[in-house]
Amino acid sequence: MPVLGCRKRRTEDISPVNFSINGQQHTVTGEYDVTTSLNDYIRDGAGLPGTKVMCKEGGCGCCAVTVTKPDHSTGKDTSFSINSCLCPLYCVDGWKITTTEGLGNSKDGFHPIQKRIAEFNGTQCGYCTPGMVMNMYGILQKNATPTEEEIENQFGGNICRCTGYRPILDAMKSFAKDSTIPGGSCIDIEDLKICPRTGKTCEGHGDSSNGSSANGSSANGSSANGSSNSVGFLVKTGGKSWYRPQTLKNLVRIFQTNKGAKVRLVHGNTASGIYKNEGPFDVFVDLHDVKELYKIESSAKSVRFGAGLSISDLIDALQKRADDKGYSYFSGIANHLLMIGNVLVRNAGSWAGNLMIKNAHPDFPSDVFTPLEAAGAKIFILDSKDGSVKSHTLTSLALNLDMTGKIITSVELFKQVDKYRFRSYKIMPRSQNAHAYVNAAFRVTIEPAKFQVLGKPSLVYGGIDKKTIHATKTEDFLTGKSLTDPAVIRGALESLKSELNPDYEELLASVEFRRNLAVSLFYKFILNICESKTPLTQSGGVLLERPISKGHREFPEQKAEWPLKQPMPKITAPFQASGEAEFINDMPSSSKELCGSFILTSVGCGTIDHIDPSEALLMPGVVDFNISQRCRQNNIMPSFPGMQFVPEELFCSGDVKYSGQSLGFVIAESQTLADAAADKVKVTYKDVKPAIVTIEDAIREESYHANPMVDHKTGDPEDALSKASRKLTGECRQGGLYHFYMENNVALAVPAEDRLDVYSSSQGTDIVHAVSPHFNVCTPRVGGAFGGKAFGSLPVAAAAGLGAYKHNRPVKCNVGLSASMRMNGKRPALWAKYEVGFDDSGRIDVISFEIYVNCGYTANFAFIYHEILTHIDQGPYPAGFLIEAVLENVAQSLGKVAADVKEANLYKEGQIDILGHELKDCTMGKLWQQLRQASEFDKRRGEVDTFNKANLWKKRGITMTPAKYGFFYMGAGVSVDVAIYSRDGTVTVSQGGVEMGQGLYTKPLNPEPSICSYTRAAGGGKHPGYTLNMVRMRHVNSHLAANNTVTGGSVSSEHAVQSAITCCETLNERLQPFRTKHPDYDWKNIIGVASLANVDLTAKHKFVPKKHDGPGMFHYFSYSAAVTEVELDVLTGQSQIRRVDILFDCGESLNPTIDIGQIEGAYLMGVGGFMFEEVKYDSKTGGVLNDGTFFYKPPLAKDIPIDWRIKLLADARNPLGIRGSKASGEPPIVLSSGVFYSLKQAMEAAHLDNTGSSEFQPSVAPLTVERLRLGCGFNMAKMTL
């Protein structure tokens, strides 16, 4: 059952839960529902919003906290980080919890981790930052002197959508004992201790308790347990019971006492992040204090590990014993376990809990089960019926063992002979924190000289189907045979292909891919243990090895204009790291606050027949239910001058437009209660028809929107094609993408006199204000948006506003990840067909595109089509993806290097582009040549060719990618308001853009010192002069920033900076007479005399750009280029980005630190769309299938380029930009298409080896592990030693 949040409930029977947060004592006595999470309590109960919430699945890491608890295997306390969203509140009895607020803050001083991530520019929107800080704090708690590699390996559970991870990793690796990062040093051990009195880091000895609880009583709850015959710690509330036994005997009594009840055994509770709808349960049994489950026992022939060990603890225990004779295979098991989830999940979840998931869901590809089963492990299970403990095989656990009333107590692994060989594999959608497409583990005992199989081998697979565990026929075939015999290898591979028949499921990878992958993994195993001596095949025996990543940044400095163009991190970065930067969902709740949750349609095409909210309304704490019939105005889509939109309903009024459309809104006393109630609303439909889901569906059904954009034609393409000396056709596709912002879409509406104060996580206060004239809209900051919170924020604000107006109480709505992915619009899928005419040199004469864009049920947001039409000539994502497909195809057809063909088609100074712009100050050619030489592209391309000829099962690719991005100063501009206070000379600045990581709270401040630039010298005098520390930013609201442009298109920072400059010039003009009259006065005195003279010390200006002169729409162009080199494992489809070089024309950057951060973040977001991310839909209903972090996979820290070099072009002042600058936010996305096309080159090289065909394959993004492996071809005849 979903968490019911932090509303107090009637307690029937209690034992107190005692714990501390940041040194402060907390006691819970049963007043919260037993499903309440630690995250709910930290945020809503303890009022510490620095710990964020987003996915509630353990997949994003923004909720990370560090816990200190008793380690029953050592008798001492242990500290580590976990996901607070998955940890039940009632598990934490006796624990000490530390959040980012407990490390440091602006008043008491920031912690070194908080300082470093800020100084290294490791924050942008800042929503993920507290989680990053706490993950690092947990790492250092376990090991104060880690290596760079150890640090980099442990950030797989933290998603950042803004930074590209590189500065975060640099900041964290600066704490490594082998750090090569400038400014790095190990943590001071005192900074790892929390004072039990203040809750802050201290210089004392900290809390040296051994297994004691936060309030000094026993952490194991013995005071609650009473006698040894009792059942243990008990909370009984809301009809549910929570137990915490200390012994297995207690546990047996609990089972016997609650016979017939539905019992949930709890340790890490990590399974709830995957299987969210299990239950409801009557009884919860917390296993943390059953000391027998933590034993590690060794005998002459085996080692037994207790079931209470976390996965991290089991890994440590295995690694410690891997050097013991007969147990070397332990290191292989440990390495496989390191691929489970992420460190936060592994720290919390037990290995036995993972096996129990396999028992409940046999199709689950458990990464505990697969290696343990292959290794021949036995498990021991306690049966509460008679208290007996018996051994069982893992196969029986997975296939037929009823675990009702039973619990795993330990696993036994056996000592092996020297001839024993064990290897395991996990192939997953990205480098870390992902489920397996297929996992496998192989065990064989061989005679070393002839590689003869002694006895029956063990070939175990996961991810095939519910029943397949062993490849039994192949095991029988291999028994007694030599693995070096070509006939045996061929026979084994054929046997595997015959007996492995994966189930088809719409969300899973294809049957063909999983079968071929399973066969390829066994072949990789043979190559590895038989140590192939053939150079061509040797590399197939090992997986890709990733070195520690590194980066290099280089930019010209404009010191003469400092502080205007001074490189500096964002001023809010330390506050983001400490959790003090307030997001809307962090705002303190009032006692009257209500929360809302949307009910969404489950069919894609039909009519609502009946809505029954009765079950939801009966739930205690549920207040109201709203549908379209209760709305005076159901259209939430405003129109603006020049932008006329088709109406869109707040709530579906009858005819369903898409699966996931909102049809109602539940209001309750907490967010989690509202979400739970929304699930109880029953909806029936009539006249249901199959949904039109794909572009192919729409073409077949002739289902088209009226094209909102005019087709673009330059010249006479038909005539040019007829005259072209060479022609070819092709196509490219890209799947739909979710914006995946870290902060959920959220709004808070508060009744206030004649208005509603609406706090909205929107990209523009003005568009939210357009929903209702009663709205006074404020947006303090946004935790990522990327286009998804422009008009996507409107229904959330409107529904919250409706509830607040109706009940005259504040109403907040925080839309969860799953609901957001189903409800909100996405970046649409596209399909483009092209015909191109060109000459023998590769020079393009003509291109004709036929483009289909899947815009969903409305064409309101067909902006992507506009982007394609206006940027098809080397433009941004996705237009650049299309033109790159053409040029790569042309190059291959001519047998030329793609970079040479692209160079032949680059724009030159003074040329006219497809929209009629005369390209002045075109730096494309200069930039291209500089990058080609600096990156040693031609030398490296030769090395790639040599590598590919020498390796059959590893391939590399390298390409160059150009980008020309047109900047359009859209809309009415961004206003800035500057106020100087006469008493102390401090300054506040408000601007009309929305801060979402791009530096809008920093860049506009850089001009402010120009108000009194002469006083910089006065700073050394008796009275200090004006400094940037005297300036404070104020949040944007719809009154101060009326009629401002929505923040997007990368130009808001430029607008705000120019508006700030004009304000400063105005104020300087007013102050100049007083400076002349009082040349010796410092800043405060100048302001004082000006105030006495009644000078207006405020200024407001809105930079309204003039229309671009001449044809076209863009004010100027940004140019950039990248060289991308990748490596591909042909047998698995896994890949890595070896090196990326970027040269970017940023003009004279207004802040190089921020701009390079924008480049890195944009590039990696593009990598996500080209390698990992794609929204999957139900083919019948059109509902989103991968609506969470388990199946939707943005890039992680080990998906970034291993070697990442970024340079800003020197001597490139932009005469058309703000103070010579150019924007940087969006252009780099297209450069990441180089990852796609270099991987495609590698794939096609493998395809040639396997099939003999050199045909150019269609460009289909994302180029996932599955598509790469299938694109390489599958030829078992090539699978030899």
Side-chain angles (χ1 to χ4, degrees), residues 897 932-947 958 1123 1125 1139:
V897 177
R932 187 162 188 162
Q933 293 173 20
S935 67
E936 298 181 301
F937 171 79
D938 295 291
K939 174 187 174 184
R940 290 164 56 199
R941 183 184 60 79
E943 293 170 348
V944 166
D945 290 343
T946 301
F947 179 89
I958 187 170
V1123 172
E1125 182 180 347
R1139 177 174 162 184

Side-chain angles (χ1 to χ4, degrees), residues 511-683:
V511 169
E512 179 187 6
F513 165 67
R514 286 184 285 145
R515 179 188 291 117
N516 291 351
L517 178 58
V519 173
S520 298
L521 290 178
F522 182 70
Y523 172 62
K524 183 178 281 288
F525 169 68
I526 293 176
L527 286 176
N528 184 274
I529 66 169
C530 295
E531 299 175 354
S532 170
K533 300 299 189 292
T534 305
L536 195 64
T537 61
Q538 278 180 348
S539 64
V542 294
L543 295 167
L544 293 172
E545 296 182 3
R546 180 183 173 90
I548 301 169
S549 67
K550 60 182 180 180
H552 175 77
R553 281 75 57 199
E554 185 177 341
F555 52 85
E557 293 185 328
Q558 311 295 332
K559 291 186 177 181
E561 296 193 56
W562 284 11
L564 177 60
K565 297 178 181 179
Q566 185 174 355
M568 64 176 70
K570 297 193 311 299
I571 61 169
T572 56
F575 302 94
Q576 293 171 334
S578 66
E580 294 172 277
E582 188 177 65
F583 294 85
I584 291 168
N585 203 38
D586 300 338
M587 298 175 70
S589 301
S590 73
S591 59
K592 296 179 61 179
E593 183 178 288
L594 299 172
C595 296
S597 183
F598 288 96
I599 297 93
L600 307 179
T601 59
S602 59
V603 303
C605 185
T607 303
I608 295 174
D609 183 30
H610 181 63
I611 302 174
D612 178 10
S614 57
E615 187 177 352
L617 291 171
L618 288 173
M619 296 174 67
V622 175
V623 175
D624 196 8
F625 174 69
N626 289 312
I627 55 177
S628 63
Q629 287 78 3
R630 301 179 186 179
C631 300
R632 293 181 183 177
Q633 170 61 36
N634 199 32
N635 172 38
I636 51 140
M637 184 51 58
S639 291
F640 302 90
M643 297 179 70
Q644 300 300 309
F645 293 114
V646 175
E648 293 187 22
E649 293 181 327
L650 173 60
F651 303 128
C652 177
S653 60
D655 292 333
V656 177
K657 304 297 191 301
Y658 65 98
S659 178
Q661 183 181 5
S662 64
L663 57 82
F665 193 66
V666 171
I667 298 175
E669 292 183 352
S670 74
Q671 185 63 60
T672 44
L673 176 57
D675 292 340
D679 290 337
K680 299 294 183 181
V681 176
K682 295 179 174 62
V683 183

Side-chain angles (χ1 to χ4, degrees), residues 43 47 71 243 331 401 453-454 456 523 614 708 761 783 944 1009 1051 1271:
R43 291 180 57 83
D71 182 348
Y243 295 91
S331 64
L401 189 59
V453 178
L454 304 176
K456 187 174 182 178
Y523 172 62
S614 57
S761 62
V944 166
V1051 296

Side-chain angles (χ1 to χ4, degrees), residues 341-364:
N342 56 72
V343 67
L344 302 170
V345 168
R346 296 192 297 270
N347 286 344
S350 68
W351 63 263
N354 189 283
L355 289 182
M356 288 300 294
I357 301 176
K358 181 72 172 177
N359 174 261
H361 305 275
D363 57 338
F364 175 65

